[in-house]
Amino acid sequence: MLPALRGLNPGWAESAMLLGASPWRVWREVELPIVGRAVLVSAVFSFTISMGEFGATLLIARPEYPTMPLVIYRLLGQPGALNYGQAMAMSSVLMLVCTVSFLLIERFRAGGVGEF
């Protein structure tokens, strides 16, 4: 995704805004068509990687030490609103942990080396 975003010419968005387009319209009609394929490829790649990680976790994890994805999977596999609510809460906790981890990685990385 990053190379596609870096490949955008800032002059195109400026020109569209100069001609009266709103920022939303510039994004929708100028930038999105250019990076649309990269967005699709990134989404499919992310989905594929996450499914692979889930499969590996499912095969390697021990029942006495379940991981968060396995707990979510088990809760979703059981009927009832309480189990569904617990699975959604666990999913939110997992997203929060991932977000905080990425922010900490970004904060403490060496300057000028890599980015997300």
Side-chain angles (χ1 to χ4, degrees), residues 1-13 27 30-36:
M1 210 38 230
L2 193 57
L5 291 174
R6 285 188 176 159
L8 286 175
N9 185 346
W12 297 333
W27 179 80
V30 176
E31 295 173 348
L32 185 61
I34 296 170
V35 298

Side-chain angles (χ1 to χ4, degrees), residues 91-111:
S91 298
S92 298
V93 169
L94 183 57
M95 285 189 292
L96 180 67
V97 167
C98 289
T99 302
V100 168
S101 299
F102 280 127
L103 291 174
L104 285 174
I105 288 169
E106 182 66 16
R107 177 163 171 76
F108 293 112
R109 72 177 169 90

Side-chain angles (χ1 to χ4, degrees), residues 5 11-13 16 18 20 22-24 33 36 39 43 47 50-51 70-71 79 87 105 109 116:
L5 291 174
W12 297 333
L18 249 154
S22 66
W24 168 250
V39 170
F47 176 75
S50 69
M51 291 307 292
L70 284 179
V71 171
I105 288 169
R109 72 177 169 90
F116 70 88

Side-chain angles (χ1 to χ4, degrees), residues 17-61:
M17 284 188 196
L18 249 154
L19 292 171
S22 66
W24 168 250
R25 189 169 181 192
V26 169
W27 179 80
R28 189 182 73 231
E29 294 184 16
V30 176
E31 295 173 348
L32 185 61
I34 296 170
V35 298
R37 295 180 83 189
V39 170
L40 181 63
V41 168
S42 299
V44 169
F45 185 71
S46 298
F47 176 75
T48 305
I49 294 297
S50 69
M51 291 307 292
E53 291 299 320
F54 177 74
T57 300
L58 195 60
L59 291 173
I60 295 173

